[in-house]
Amino acid sequence: MSYVRGLKCRECGREYPKEPLHVCEFCFGPLEVVYNYEEIKRNISKEKIAERQKNMWRYKELLPLEKDSGIGIDIGFTPLIRAHNLAQALGVSELYLKNDAANYPTLSFKDRVVSVALSKAKEFGFDTVACASTGNLANSVAAIAAASSLRSFVFIPYDLEQGKVLGTMIYGTNLVGIKGSYDEVNRLCSEIAGKYGWAFVNINLRPYYAEGSKTFGYEIAEQLGWKVPKHIVVPMAGGSLITKVWKAFKELEKLGFVSEVDTKVYGAQATGCAPIVTAVKKKSELITPVKPSTIAKSLAIGNPADGFYAMGVIRESGGWAEDVSDEEIILAMKLLAETEGIFTETAGGVTLGVTKKLLDQGVIPRDESIVVSITGNGLKTQEVVIDRVGKPIVIEAKLSQFDALYKEKGGKKSINHEE
Ligand SMILES: *Cc1c(COP(=O)(O)O)cnc(C)c1O
């Protein structure tokens, strides 16, 4: 039993039944899951949620499944960290990191969306699941499909980081590298979905899949003591997560779990792939697709499916958007690791780099609560920092050798760095 009324076109409002549909037959607008909030309000409370296991299914009434899933039961409820050291480095008073680099099982926020999508695929009776991915989705679909005894096909741009490729192959999935960008992978996958009738999590199951991202927002509010932050910075690839964080906050407001949502939402992209940011900065209604060229491969979507709606959330909330260079991404990854002990992937570098830039510009004030979204793990994108962290110093197992080393370099912040 769910509280889902059905699907609804985000453009023309036409309603559809709960089926594996994703575009409106009449206007080609994207479909979205709609709920009966009056019923939900009668059936959940903060107290009821507090009694449940610490995972994303504690908000199950707000997710589009008909029965308890059994797939990915340990996903979510990642730490929300009060980042004192980083706050000091940035000169801000109240800073939090929502850390999905620690998500289970594949160390990115994508486990949230995939567990909902694969549960839904099972409900619909599919035996094969698939995805078009920039990397993290590939890892997550392969892992969770393996654990759920579903056959999986994963399609990626052929030149992804080794950690993302290995972290997909290991689960025994069917991995296909496409000679082209993510946007070309995605186009091909739409054709394959039509022809083979598989459950593509981010194509024909996209309305259900995307709802999983809302749990990132619910958790932040609950972990802040059922409060929303004044500012939140969110990385954007296809632009889905940012719209769902906003939807989550608005739903909690509707249910009376938080008071008025006055959060400003900021979108973050890499300069080498910033179609949404560019449109926001130009105050344009149109998003011009780009050809990505950045180390932030997980965010490298040149023609973002939800870009228009992401822009809408940024404007409606009174937020803004910024982009950062590859060099700024690396510096931000290092800053996060050195201040808070968190190794994020390039996407986290984008988010933190953009946060720093917006603070420096005075767009985000320094004396209000800020949440920075860390969505993926640095062990998957080692290539970009391997030459930027120094090298271990190798000595014989003799005290005299260590004494000599310490005498020479022990006064520095790190014995491995020249600076
Ligand atoms: C996919 C992804 C995002 C953003 O996803 P959307 O397509 O905008 O929902 C952010 N961070 C990481 C690490 C990702 O893998």
Side-chain angles (χ1 to χ4, degrees), residues 108-110 134 136-137 206 209 213 235-242 298-299 301 345 347 375-376:
S108 88
F109 102 90
K110 291 296 197 305
T134 57
N136 284 311
L137 189 59
R206 191 171 178 87
Y209 151 99
S213 289
M236 303 185 292
S240 176
L241 174 62
I242 192 169
S298 60
L299 303 181
I301 297 184
E345 69 149 86
T375 48

Side-chain angles (χ1 to χ4, degrees), residues 164-277:
K164 299 268 170 77
V165 174
L166 175 62
T168 306
M169 293 293 284
I170 189 70
Y171 303 108
T173 184
N174 301 287
L175 180 63
V176 184
I178 306 294
K179 291 182 191 161
S181 67
Y182 171 82
D183 299 284
E184 289 165 282
V185 176
N186 193 45
R187 196 171 336 114
L188 171 66
C189 285
S190 292
E191 293 177 50
I192 296 173
K195 180 158 180 186
Y196 288 79
W198 295 336
F200 271 81
V201 302
N202 55 339
I203 301 176
N204 45 358
L205 293 187
R206 191 171 178 87
Y208 305 97
Y209 151 99
E211 289 292 289
S213 289
K214 292 190 305 184
T215 60
F216 191 82
Y218 301 144
E219 288 173 19
I220 290 170
E222 186 180 356
Q223 288 167 318
L224 287 173
W226 293 110
K227 271 183 15 202
V228 290
K230 284 277 188 193
H231 308 273
I232 183 166
V233 188
V234 185
M236 303 185 292
S240 176
L241 174 62
I242 192 169
T243 64
K244 296 297 174 172
V245 167
W246 182 248
K247 184 176 181 185
F249 287 176
K250 292 303 241 185
E251 286 178 336
L252 295 179
E253 178 182 68
K254 221 177 296 186
L255 295 171
F257 286 13
V258 300
S259 51
E260 195 201 346
V261 174
D262 55 358
T263 310
K264 291 186 162 70
V265 181
Y266 305 87
Q269 294 194 297
T271 306
C273 183
I276 308 174
V277 174

Side-chain angles (χ1 to χ4, degrees), residues 59 92 186 210 261 284-285 290 306 353 384:
Y59 314 104
V92 301
N186 193 45
V261 174
S284 155
E285 280 303 312
V290 301
D306 289 293
V384 303

Side-chain angles (χ1 to χ4, degrees), residues 98-379:
K98 177 61 174 167
N99 187 14
D100 265 16
N103 204 9
Y104 172 86
T106 68
L107 310 176
S108 88
F109 102 90
K110 291 296 197 305
D111 293 324
R112 299 175 184 275
V113 282
V114 170
S115 57
V116 172
L118 297 201
S119 304
K120 205 66 203 168
K122 281 211 158 172
E123 282 183 8
F124 285 137
F126 287 99
D127 58 11
T128 303
V129 295
C131 69
S133 173
T134 57
N136 284 311
L137 189 59
N139 295 173
S140 192
V141 165
I144 301 177
S148 321
S149 307
L150 285 160
R151 184 165 75 132
S152 61
F153 276 81
V154 170
F155 300 85
I156 55 170
Y158 76 102
D159 61 349
L160 289 190
E161 302 94 340
Q162 188 184 321
K164 299 268 170 77
V165 174
L166 175 62
T168 306
M169 293 293 284
I170 189 70
Y171 303 108
T173 184
N174 301 287
L175 180 63
V176 184
I178 306 294
K179 291 182 191 161
S181 67
Y182 171 82
D183 299 284
E184 289 165 282
V185 176
N186 193 45
R187 196 171 336 114
L188 171 66
C189 285
S190 292
E191 293 177 50
I192 296 173
K195 180 158 180 186
Y196 288 79
W198 295 336
F200 271 81
V201 302
N202 55 339
I203 301 176
N204 45 358
L205 293 187
R206 191 171 178 87
Y208 305 97
Y209 151 99
E211 289 292 289
S213 289
K214 292 190 305 184
T215 60
F216 191 82
Y218 301 144
E219 288 173 19
I220 290 170
E222 186 180 356
Q223 288 167 318
L224 287 173
W226 293 110
K227 271 183 15 202
V228 290
K230 284 277 188 193
H231 308 273
I232 183 166
V233 188
V234 185
M236 303 185 292
S240 176
L241 174 62
I242 192 169
T243 64
K244 296 297 174 172
V245 167
W246 182 248
K247 184 176 181 185
F249 287 176
K250 292 303 241 185
E251 286 178 336
L252 295 179
E253 178 182 68
K254 221 177 296 186
L255 295 171
F257 286 13
V258 300
S259 51
E260 195 201 346
V261 174
D262 55 358
T263 310
K264 291 186 162 70
V265 181
Y266 305 87
Q269 294 194 297
T271 306
C273 183
I276 308 174
V277 174
T278 304
V280 170
K281 285 184 179 171
K282 280 197 197 150
K283 302 194 161 72
S284 155
E285 280 303 312
L286 284 181
I287 292 181
T288 309
V290 301
K291 202 168 177 301
S293 169
T294 169
I295 58 169
K297 291 177 190 274
S298 60
L299 303 181
I301 297 184
N303 189 9
D306 289 293
F308 180 75
Y309 303 101
M311 208 156 64
V313 162
I314 290 166
R315 283 189 192 141
E316 186 189 342
S317 73
W320 193 239
E322 253 306 346
D323 54 272
V324 280
S325 68
D326 286 356
E327 181 60 20
E328 289 170 303
I329 294 168
I330 291 170
L331 292 176
M333 289 168 73
K334 290 180 70 178
L335 176 66
L336 183 65
E338 290 172 11
T339 54
E340 296 296 336
I342 295 172
F343 186 14
T344 184
E345 69 149 86
T346 46
V350 169
T351 316
L352 180 56
V354 162
T355 305
K356 186 173 183 310
K357 205 160 181 175
L358 292 170
L359 285 164
D360 291 344
Q361 291 169 356
V363 176
I364 300 181
R366 295 179 186 273
D367 58 349
E368 294 180 345
S369 57
I370 306 166
V371 171
V372 176
S373 310
I374 301 301
T375 48
N377 194 296
L379 289 172

